[in-house]
């Protein structure tokens, strides 16, 4: 008697029976291919499937990528000079944040990790606003409470960055579900690094979004390293893209150093997320050219020639520049003017940020409780007394 026609009507759909004991393979024979549009030299791949981009958008994308690159270099040096306490660059990953932002609407809500300042840059966050946050002055929207690079902007629908890894993913699923309930024509985009997929919140966020059919794009930057932990020591699966199917989520793997490929993939993902009310998982293969942060020396755990290869042969900024220049949308003169202008603006912004007064001590104890509890009032009193007794141990420009 054959079992081929027999099945059980199990919750979630019918499941066929089989008399053959067969385990599902731990991996497929071939790896999931990586979608790309541009060759490493910036030439367009023939007969490729991609979203057309206008001259205006392409030039803005490239200009923002250059701006982000210069901003990273100058702020990194400022930290090394002791002018700010911490910094973290997007070196080698500029295409991811800029190109994905270009494919989104201003109404789409962003929950970042910490390597997405390009999204804010695209949406109009100024160099002065970046500088004010890094220097923690009175103009900083976080009132100096956060570490540098923990940006946030309600105006630009950009949730404030928080250091704990992957906590933003379940939040993104919930926010996306609220957009669904309100019939909004928008989606949520939550960014995460490959290391973050080892956190429980990654799995909780994806499962929640899938079950609730929430319009959210989970964008994973797989740059090969979770600080000093290589991806080979994080998981045995074929990267991140295959994890989506386990949760019933449509997924794609894209070349994260190809701005046109990222733009096209996110454009398509956004359309599906909103029109079909479903989550989408994007895995972008890229490489962290810089150190994890100013607290890290990546030459201690990876080969220098590996870094140099990705920096020179696979640089996303040079690749996209070659493309816009080859089609006549960019010139050497524009390049020189842009770089000189951005550098000048940024140095001026840093000078202003350094001279701007720090937030008063009282701001450390506000915006949580309507009426501060007694233990918090006691802490504030003790802090003021400590500053008064040891004034040399605290910045002189802080108002007590």
């Amino acid at each position: 008697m054959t079992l081929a026609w027999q099945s059980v009507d199990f919750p979630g759909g019918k499941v066929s029976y089989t008399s053959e004991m067969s385990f599902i393979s731990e991996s497929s024979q071939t790896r999931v291919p990586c979608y790309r549009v541009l060759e490493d030299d910036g030439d367009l791949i023939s007969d490729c499937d991609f979203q057309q981009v206008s001259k205006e958008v392409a030039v803005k994308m490239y200009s923002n990528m250059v701006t982000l690159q210069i901003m990273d270099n100058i702020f990194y040096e400022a930290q090394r000079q002791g002018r700010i306490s911490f910094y973290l660059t997007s070196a080698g990953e500029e295409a991811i944040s800029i190109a994905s932002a270009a494919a989104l609407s201003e109404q789409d809500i962003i929950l970042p990790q910490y390597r997405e300042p390009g999204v804010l840059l695209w949406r109009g966050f100024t160099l002065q606003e970046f500088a004010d946050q890094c220097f923690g002055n009175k103009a900083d929207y976080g009132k100096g409470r956060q570490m540098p690079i923990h940006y946030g902007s309600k105006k630009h629908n950009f949730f404030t960055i928080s250091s704990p890894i992957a906590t933003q993913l379940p939040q993104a699923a919930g926010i996306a579900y609220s957009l669904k309930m309100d019939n909004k024509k928008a989606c949520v985009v939550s960014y995460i690094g490959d290391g973050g997929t080892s956190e429980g919140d990654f799995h909780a966020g994806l499962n929640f979004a899938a079950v609730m059919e929430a319009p959210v794009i989970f964008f994973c930057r797989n740059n090969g390293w979770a600080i000093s932990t290589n991806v080979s020591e994080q998981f045995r699966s074929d990267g991140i893209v295959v994890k989506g199917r386990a949760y019933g989520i449509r997924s794609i793997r894209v070349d994260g150093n190809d701005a046109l490929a990222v733009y096209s993939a996110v454009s398509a993902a956004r359309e599906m997320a909103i029109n079909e009310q479903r989550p989408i998982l994007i895995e972008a293969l890229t490489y962290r050219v810089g150190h994890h942060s100013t607290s890290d020396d990546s030459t201690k755990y990876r080969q220098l020639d590996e870094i140099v290869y990705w920096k020179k042969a696979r640089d996303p900024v040079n690749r996209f520049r070659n493309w816009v220049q080859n089609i006549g949308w960019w010139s050497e003169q524009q390049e020189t003017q842009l770089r000189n202008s951005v550098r000048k603006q940024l140095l001026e912004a840093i000078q202003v940020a350094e001279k701007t007064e720090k937030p008063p001590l009282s701001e450390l104890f506000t915006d949580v409780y309507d009426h501060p509890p007694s233990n918090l009032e006691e802490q504030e009193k003790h802090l003021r007394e400590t500053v008064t007794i040891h004034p040399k141990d605290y910045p002189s420009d802080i108002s007590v």
Side-chain angles (χ1 to χ4, degrees):
M1 180 179 180
T2 179
L3 295 176
W5 59 272
Q6 296 185 26
S7 62
V8 58
D9 193 5
F10 196 77
K14 287 188 176 182
V15 179
S16 298
Y17 287 114
T18 178
S19 58
E20 178 185 353
M21 185 173 66
S22 176
F23 290 85
I24 297 174
S25 174
E26 70 279 4
S27 62
S28 60
Q29 294 289 329
T30 58
R31 299 195 68 179
V32 175
C34 183
Y35 168 66
R36 75 185 322 202
V37 175
L38 297 177
E39 301 281 7
D40 288 341
D41 60 4
D43 287 344
L44 194 68
I45 298 173
S46 59
D47 299 323
C48 61
D49 177 20
F50 75 102
Q51 180 74 32
Q52 296 291 336
V53 59
S54 68
K55 177 181 178 180
E56 180 184 7
V57 171
V59 169
K60 182 180 177 182
M61 284 169 63
Y62 178 68
S63 298
N64 276 197
M65 289 168 71
V66 171
T67 300
L68 179 58
Q69 192 178 63
I70 295 172
M71 185 175 80
D72 276 348
N73 290 337
I74 292 179
F75 276 134
Y76 190 91
E77 290 303 316
Q79 193 280 333
R80 286 298 187 240
Q81 295 166 4
R83 298 162 78 180
I84 57 177
S85 61
F86 177 83
Y87 196 71
L88 184 151
T89 74
S90 300
E93 303 179 40
E94 294 90 348
I96 288 177
S97 58
I98 299 297
S100 62
L104 300 172
S105 163
E106 294 285 337
Q107 285 68 50
D108 296 328
I109 299 172
I110 307 298
L111 280 83
Q113 188 178 10
Y114 43 58
R115 228 176 282 274
E116 291 81 33
V119 177
L120 269 180
L121 190 62
W122 178 269
R123 292 191 170 190
F125 206 69
T126 67
L127 296 180
Q128 189 62 63
E129 289 173 307
F130 280 114
D132 288 336
Q133 196 285 325
C134 286
F135 282 86
N137 60 35
K138 287 184 71 173
D140 169 29
Y141 302 128
K143 301 182 180 180
R145 299 164 177 156
Q146 282 270 29
M147 291 171 63
I149 68 93
H150 286 57
Y151 312 110
S153 174
K154 182 178 180 180
K155 174 183 176 182
H156 298 299
N157 282 326
F158 189 96
F159 272 60
T160 300
I161 295 168
S162 59
S163 292
I165 302 299
T167 56
Q168 70 273 21
L169 300 189
Q171 297 166 5
I175 295 168
Y177 187 58
S178 74
L179 293 179
K180 179 189 181 85
M181 293 177 67
D182 292 337
N183 295 313
K184 299 286 187 180
K185 287 295 182 181
C187 69
V188 174
V189 183
S190 187
Y191 295 84
I192 187 72
D194 50 275
T197 67
S198 296
E199 294 285 344
D201 278 342
F202 171 80
H203 304 279
L206 265 64
N207 193 53
F208 182 19
V211 172
M212 304 308 292
E213 298 179 328
V216 53
I217 299 172
F218 296 107
F219 196 115
C220 177
R221 295 175 290 94
N222 184 351
N223 62 25
W225 295 91
I227 307 184
S228 60
T229 304
N230 187 268
V231 290
S232 62
E233 298 174 336
Q234 288 189 71
F235 39 73
R236 285 290 178 267
S237 61
D238 178 13
I240 312 302
V241 66
V242 296
K243 299 179 188 291
R245 190 171 187 179
Y247 294 106
I249 295 179
R250 194 174 296 170
S251 312
I252 187 172
R253 171 176 281 162
V254 61
D255 183 347
N257 288 24
D258 180 346
L260 278 185
V262 172
Y263 177 82
S264 300
V266 175
S267 295
R270 180 181 186 273
E271 185 176 342
M272 287 185 284
I274 294 174
N275 294 339
E276 300 178 31
Q277 292 294 288
R278 66 165 65 243
I280 303 291
L281 173 63
I282 298 176
E283 177 189 21
L285 299 185
T286 183
Y287 190 81
R288 194 194 75 221
V289 169
H291 304 302
H292 174 74
S293 71
T294 49
S295 302
D296 174 50
D297 179 3
S298 61
T299 62
K300 300 295 185 182
Y301 52 81
R302 56 183 185 173
Q303 296 297 315
L304 184 60
D305 57 355
E306 175 183 307
I307 301 173
V308 172
Y309 165 74
W310 281 88
K311 186 174 184 178
K312 293 186 178 298
R314 303 295 308 282
D315 180 62
V317 181
N318 289 341
R319 188 196 294 195
F320 196 60
R321 177 189 175 180
N322 289 341
W323 181 72
V324 294
Q325 195 163 290
N326 289 341
I327 59 178
W329 290 352
W330 195 252
S331 67
E332 289 289 346
Q333 182 181 4
Q334 288 172 294
E335 182 77 16
T336 301
Q337 291 175 344
L338 173 64
R339 290 186 177 275
N340 289 340
S341 175
V342 171
R343 181 176 178 80
K344 180 182 178 182
Q345 291 178 57
L346 194 54
L347 292 176
E348 290 175 352
I350 287 176
Q351 289 182 340
V352 171
E354 280 188 309
K355 295 176 181 178
T356 302
E357 185 181 357
K358 301 294 184 186
L361 282 181
S362 59
E363 293 291 6
L364 283 174
F365 304 92
T366 59
D367 298 334
V368 176
Y369 297 99
D370 183 18
H371 299 289
S374 58
N375 65 319
L376 202 60
E377 291 179 333
E378 184 179 343
Q379 290 176 35
E380 181 177 359
K381 179 183 176 182
H382 180 66
L383 177 59
R384 293 181 184 280
E385 291 174 348
T386 303
V387 173
T388 302
I389 297 172
H390 306 284
K392 293 183 180 181
D393 294 335
Y394 294 88
S396 59
D397 58 345
I398 292 182
S399 173
V400 178

